[in-house]
Amino acid sequence: MGEQEEKKSAKKEKIPRQKMAEQEPKERIKNFQEVPYGFTPEQAMLEASRCLKCKKPKCVDGCPVNINIPEFISLIEQGKFIEAAWKIKEQNALPAICGRVCPQEEQCEKLCVLGKKQKPVSIGYLERFVADYERASGKIQLPKIRPKTGKKVAIVGSGPAGLTAAGELIKLGHDVTIYEALHLPGGVLVYGIPEFRLPKAIVQAEVEYLKALGVKLEVDVVVGKTITVDELFEQGVDAMFIGTGAGLPQFMDIPGEELNGVYSANEFLTRNNLMKAFKFPEYDTPILRGKKVATIGGGNVAMDSARTALRLGAEKSYIVYRRSRAEMPARIDEIEHAEQEGIEFHLLTLPLEIYPNEQGYVKAMKCQRMQLGEPDESGRRRPVPIPGSEFIMDVDIVIVAIGNRPNPLIPQTTPGLQTQKWGGVIADEATGKTSREHIYAGGDIVTGAATVILAMGAGKKAAYAIHKELTGEDLSLSLPKGEDKTR
Amino acid sequence: MPSKIISNEKIAPEIFKIVLVAPQIAKKHRAGQFIILRVGERGERIPLTVVEKDPQAGTITLIYQVVGKTTMWLSDKKAGEELQDLVGPLGNPTEIENFGNAVAIGGGVGCACVYPIAKALKEAGNHLTIIWGARTKEHLLLEKEIAEISDRLEICTDDGSKGTHGFVSEVLKRMIEQKEKIDYVIAVGPVPMMRAIVELTRGPGIRTVVSLNSIMVDGTGMCGSCRVLVGGERKFACVDGPEFDGHKVDFKNMMTRLRVYKEFEDLAKEKYQEERGR
């Protein structure tokens, strides 16, 4: 750091990183309401004042959608919360969502210069604060829409990639229609991420914002079944973005996985989040409420599943993960929330077999202890079984949250759309172009299960590439240079 | 999106026929495929086979049995009202070929699923034998329709009120014992019925296809609710099926899985019946 920044840092030393007030663990495991309450305006301004206003801000390099972070933080410091929200929205259409689900500790906050000597600026909490402030104020600014270009773009999938692509293209004057297979829009935002992490009212508000801009939304349309990609082109679509996501659950392939009471995390979360099974019988979709629930996996989906099981009334909710805490891919905040809520972590543990009771429901699970050996293809140390360490775990529900692969429906019904062997659609990293003319793709359908913010970044890049194809104008120069960011 | 109801009529005890506005589904549907619907905003998603479609009129026809809350609620809806959601066509269409001598077997409301497939088999040039089973003659479905397409028709009722007094499996057994030429069997009905048919054709090695009615949520392969074991492998009924080689299906596991929410279903049905004052 330069001398100037050193002096500033000394001054800032007096201000610790602000904490958002949160629901107490004992209370919050009984409800599905959001865990953090968010900053107060005073906290937000205090936190914003910690920013060093670096001449060469590193934080921006960590943001997959290139938000002007120092600028919006400066506006917050001045108490100009609405303007700060609008500043963020110049680059990111869904700040209320990102502020809640981005792994900031891997992105902007990881590179924060203040973070070298103290705790980094809470960029994520600040983003969330202004997004919520703007929504509550009702002062939602609709950006200027360019004159109509007469070009039609179809967006397949209303998850974060599709919503972002739609938001960019509509502003540029194109005719945009989103096709969604489920009966509600949002993709993982609505079926995967629980209410206590991302209230559905916020997702709905973001979708309404897009509709206010002119985006058309058709739900209950399964592209590939109800209508094919080629039929859409025949109907006059000029370009298409595929954002159909990683909706193909992975199972462990161990004996007993077909028993009643074994759920894929997708099914467990979809029943609960999308279909509101936690409100049965007020809502019709059922879900089994176990007393002892084991969730297999160490990512955000596993944390979401284990914490949901607790809220459904489990006496014990376990995380069973074959590696150690350091290798867990979940957001730090969510691991901490899970620990506070009393979820028991069985790390370096691998399930081997699930046992039934007489009625064919889960009764117990045999596991084995592991130790860490050499790194595998993902770069993480490979777990190796400890001989003779098998033990039986008393459980009645098992949730398999070990990952999702790209949903194969679109590749299977779109001739000429090339995929990797494991199913990911092959798309150019900078533009989203696929092997088919006029078809672009981004998000989990290309990368495999990743994050909301990466999907949004991909949606944005593809939108600009589509715009260039349709009009010749190249806006991609306004996008971050260099490689995509850490996950 | 919401779908308007053209008509919703009782055609047999506990069995209803509903015609819905669905122009895009009517256009794309092929025999063997199904839809998923929700009756209202808090409703669950359930799969039902499309029995008939009219691409000109833009409508589809479903036949369903009232078994629980959702089907009971569905049967209470009137012409002119709307269903909350309707999506399709889902699942793989039946693989139709001219197999030679095809036998289409329906049990109970399963007959409604078999009918469109039987029709497609006939159109492909098969000699079509239809074996139709129901509890009583009042429960027999689509009799006129199957009489029009079958080369040979065998009706069975459990109580003997019409046709053979007995199960569809007994008729098939007779045909096999008499060494009649059978190249292909499709059977849809209660799981015990499909199991019985499959055991009859296993020995003689007759190609047998069954259609599975697993519990579903999304219907597009993303949750695994409908997973079944086929030849020891995990398959999803919604995207790998709904039809499978009957000789490879683990029916025992399937029956266990179908019961998973029994208590919830009973509760929901009771609650609905109370609310409706029945």
Side-chain angles (χ1 to χ4, degrees):
Chain A
M1 273 196 293
E3 217 199 280
Q4 277 277 42
E5 283 157 351
E6 280 235 30
K7 280 207 192 119
K8 283 191 211 160
S9 186
K11 264 198 230 153
K12 309 292 175 187
E13 210 130 5
K14 302 211 175 93
I15 309 174
R17 177 173 155 119
Q18 296 299 295
K19 279 201 183 123
M20 288 193 292
E22 292 184 341
Q23 275 195 74
E24 282 299 304
K26 282 209 181 78
E27 267 316 296
R28 72 192 195 218
I29 59 171
K30 296 186 203 152
N31 66 53
F32 280 85
Q33 287 145 41
E34 259 205 289
V35 172
Y37 289 125
F39 277 156
T40 60
E42 294 73 30
Q43 277 181 307
M45 289 173 71
L46 191 58
E47 181 63 28
S49 75
R50 296 178 72 229
C51 175
L52 299 174
K53 301 179 183 44
C54 305
K55 282 209 177 69
K56 290 187 185 162
K58 296 275 175 245
C59 50
V60 192
D61 291 342
C63 177
V65 292
N66 203 32
I67 293 174
N68 191 339
I69 298 171
E71 185 59 40
F72 94 74
I73 292 182
S74 169
L75 287 165
I76 294 177
E77 199 182 352
Q78 298 164 54
K80 295 186 179 161
F81 305 142
I82 301 288
E83 289 85 334
W86 294 345
K87 176 60 50 180
I88 298 174
K89 279 185 161 176
E90 281 172 17
Q91 298 290 356
N92 174 5
L94 314 174
I97 292 172
C98 290
R100 286 168 164 80
V101 306
C102 266
Q104 292 92 4
E105 73 270 18
E106 295 297 317
Q107 296 171 169
C108 49
E109 292 179 16
K110 187 174 183 176
L111 302 175
C112 172
V113 172
L114 182 67
K116 289 201 167 70
K117 294 247 170 117
Q118 302 170 52
K119 295 232 175 92
V121 176
S122 308
I123 301 169
Y125 298 166
L126 288 171
E127 179 181 27
R128 179 209 156 107
F129 169 75
V130 294
D132 289 351
Y133 191 91
E134 188 210 16
R135 196 175 60 254
S137 76
K139 293 199 185 96
I140 314 279
Q141 178 196 54
L142 291 185
K144 241 191 338 200
I145 310 271
R146 286 196 187 182
K148 292 284 164 203
T149 61
K151 298 289 183 185
K152 278 174 87 168
V153 183
I155 310 277
V156 185
S158 65
L163 291 176
T164 302
E168 295 301 320
L169 288 163
I170 196 77
K171 287 192 287 187
L172 296 168
H174 303 293
D175 179 312
V176 180
T177 304
I178 304 177
Y179 297 96
E180 168 55 49
L182 293 173
H183 57 273
L184 287 177
V188 274
L189 304 173
V190 81
Y191 76 73
I193 304 180
E195 183 71 21
F196 57 81
R197 241 188 353 120
L198 179 62
K200 303 313 150 203
I202 293 181
V203 180
Q204 193 53 36
E206 306 293 65
V207 173
E208 291 308 314
Y209 172 71
L210 290 179
K211 284 183 178 172
L213 296 180
V215 173
K216 286 172 276 191
L217 172 68
E218 287 192 32
V219 295
D220 292 331
V221 176
V222 184
V223 174
K225 290 284 194 194
T226 314
I227 190 164
T228 63
V229 160
D230 287 308
E231 282 163 353
L232 281 169
F233 281 117
E234 281 165 31
Q235 286 183 7
V237 163
D238 295 298
M240 190 176 298
F241 175 75
I242 311 284
T244 49
L248 182 64
Q250 299 298 287
F251 286 93
M252 296 180 283
D253 289 332
I254 62 172
E257 235 174 353
E258 67 288 352
L259 294 171
N260 287 347
V262 180
Y263 282 110
S264 74
N266 266 6
E267 185 187 348
F268 187 74
L269 294 172
T270 298
R271 282 181 181 271
N272 216 55
N273 302 330
L274 178 70
M275 308 307 298
K276 303 218 192 313
F278 66 94
K279 289 192 182 175
F280 180 92
E282 195 196 327
Y283 281 71
D284 290 345
T285 303
I287 195 164
L288 294 173
R289 291 169 183 249
K291 293 209 166 52
K292 297 191 173 152
V293 182
T295 299
I296 321 296
N300 289 315
V301 175
M303 296 307 122
D304 285 343
S305 302
R307 295 170 69 195
T308 297
L310 211 54
R311 282 156 175 78
L312 287 175
E315 288 162 11
K316 294 273 188 198
S317 181
Y318 309 120
I319 285 280
V320 176
Y321 181 56
R322 62 191 181 134
R323 290 185 229 254
S324 73
R325 200 177 189 292
E327 284 88 26
M328 287 176 79
R331 264 180 115 232
I332 301 275
D333 269 10
E334 307 318 332
I335 300 174
E336 284 173 2
H337 284 146
E339 285 170 337
Q340 289 158 4
E341 287 165 15
I343 287 168
E344 286 179 33
F345 284 70
H346 288 261
L347 302 173
L348 292 167
T349 306
L350 182 76
L352 295 176
E353 186 169 348
I354 307 173
Y355 300 115
N357 65 15
E358 272 135 35
Q359 289 79 41
Y361 288 79
V362 173
K363 184 169 89 168
M365 185 167 71
K366 179 164 84 171
C367 299
Q368 180 167 55
R369 298 285 182 207
M370 312 295 277
Q371 57 195 350
L372 292 179
E374 290 304 301
D376 68 13
E377 327 80 52
S378 74
R380 291 175 291 169
R381 291 177 69 190
R382 185 195 300 272
V384 167
I386 297 173
S389 66
E390 290 88 355
F391 68 100
I392 308 286
M393 193 183 248
D394 205 16
V395 287
D396 52 8
I397 299 283
V398 176
I399 302 170
V400 185
I402 61 172
N404 280 287
R405 293 238 175 105
N407 186 287
L409 186 55
I410 296 284
Q412 282 171 357
T413 54
T414 309
L417 191 67
Q418 282 170 15
T419 62
Q420 314 272 11
K421 251 189 241 149
W422 49 269
V425 169
I426 296 175
D428 182 270
E429 212 191 314
T431 60
K433 270 199 187 147
T434 66
S435 57
R436 277 270 314 244
E437 253 198 315
H438 316 303
I439 302 182
Y440 299 72
D444 287 2
I445 190 68
V446 172
T447 60
T451 61
V452 165
I453 188 66
L454 284 176
M456 290 177 57
K460 216 175 163 190
K461 287 181 190 166
Y464 289 178
I466 291 173
H467 181 69
K468 183 172 172 200
E469 182 196 311
L470 298 177
T471 66
E473 186 185 5
D474 192 346
L475 295 167
S476 63
L477 303 165
S478 70
L479 286 171
K481 308 149 236 140
E483 285 294 70
D484 219 340
K485 321 307 168 190
T486 48
R487 290 187 183 188
Chain B
M1 54 208 101
S3 174
K4 191 138 170 235
I5 301 170
I6 302 286
S7 64
N8 190 11
E9 294 154 353
K10 190 167 177 183
I11 58 172
E14 298 307 302
I15 299 183
F16 285 74
K17 177 167 133 173
I18 187 168
V19 180
L20 298 166
V21 174
Q24 187 59 25
I25 301 175
K27 196 169 118 182
K28 294 291 282 180
H29 176 268
R30 287 165 56 200
Q33 291 184 303
F34 59 96
I35 52 90
I36 280 186
L37 61 80
R38 292 199 322 141
V39 182
E41 214 205 304
R42 297 177 185 190
E44 54 166 351
R45 294 171 62 100
I46 65 162
L48 288 172
T49 306
V50 175
V51 178
E52 264 181 318
K53 69 254 183 188
D54 187 342
Q56 312 284 58
T59 61
I60 61 171
T61 302
L62 317 171
I63 292 178
Y64 61 96
Q65 186 169 0
V66 173
V67 286
K69 188 254 167 94
T70 303
T71 42
M72 196 175 280
W73 190 12
L74 184 60
S75 70
D76 286 338
K77 298 299 262 182
K78 310 265 176 288
E81 289 181 344
E82 272 183 347
L83 295 184
Q84 182 77 23
D85 291 288
L86 180 68
V87 60
L90 302 173
N92 292 308
T94 316
E95 284 173 31
I96 302 285
E97 271 175 43
N98 187 348
F99 300 103
N101 287 286
V103 180
I105 310 178
V109 75
C111 295
C113 303
V114 175
Y115 171 64
I117 301 168
K119 206 162 140 202
L121 285 166
K122 180 69 187 167
E123 281 161 13
N126 287 281
H127 176 275
L128 181 66
T129 300
I130 293 186
I131 309 178
W132 229 224
R135 254 187 283 151
T136 74
K137 68 174 199 271
E138 281 76 33
H139 289 83
L140 285 166
L141 301 173
L142 303 164
E143 281 182 84
K144 193 162 62 80
E145 287 85 349
I146 54 166
E148 277 169 25
I149 60 169
S150 54
D151 294 303
R152 173 167 156 202
L153 178 58
E154 301 269 358
I155 305 259
C156 319
T157 45
D158 294 0
D159 70 350
S161 49
K162 189 166 185 181
T164 305
H165 185 171
F167 295 140
V168 291
S169 50
E170 291 162 34
V171 175
L172 181 67
K173 187 160 183 237
R174 214 191 324 124
M175 285 174 73
I176 294 175
E177 279 166 357
Q178 286 167 9
K179 304 234 190 315
E180 294 186 31
K181 188 169 187 305
I182 305 173
D183 301 300
Y184 173 91
V185 170
I186 172 119
V188 191
V191 175
M193 170 221 149
M194 290 192 288
R195 256 178 131 167
I197 300 293
V198 156
E199 287 321 308
L200 287 172
T201 59
R202 196 187 292 280
I206 301 169
R207 177 175 174 163
T208 305
V209 173
V210 294
S211 185
L212 303 183
N213 62 333
S214 309
I215 295 174
M216 292 183 187
V217 184
D218 64 292
T220 58
M222 72 85 139
C223 79
S225 186
C226 65
R227 61 193 188 279
V228 288
L229 290 170
V230 182
E233 283 180 14
R234 183 190 321 111
K235 299 282 179 194
F236 290 0
C238 66
V239 291
D240 300 314
E243 289 160 23
F244 295 99
D245 177 346
H247 297 139
K248 294 189 178 160
V249 171
D250 181 343
F251 284 103
K252 180 159 180 273
N253 176 246
M254 205 209 146
M255 282 180 77
T256 305
R257 290 183 66 78
L258 281 174
R259 282 196 321 258
V260 64
Y261 297 113
K262 180 87 179 35
E263 282 171 27
F264 296 79
E265 290 163 2
D266 291 343
L267 178 65
K269 187 175 179 181
E270 262 174 51
K271 191 164 171 277
Y272 185 73
Q273 280 169 312
E274 269 171 40
E275 284 166 18
R276 302 298 276 154
R278 312 202 209 176

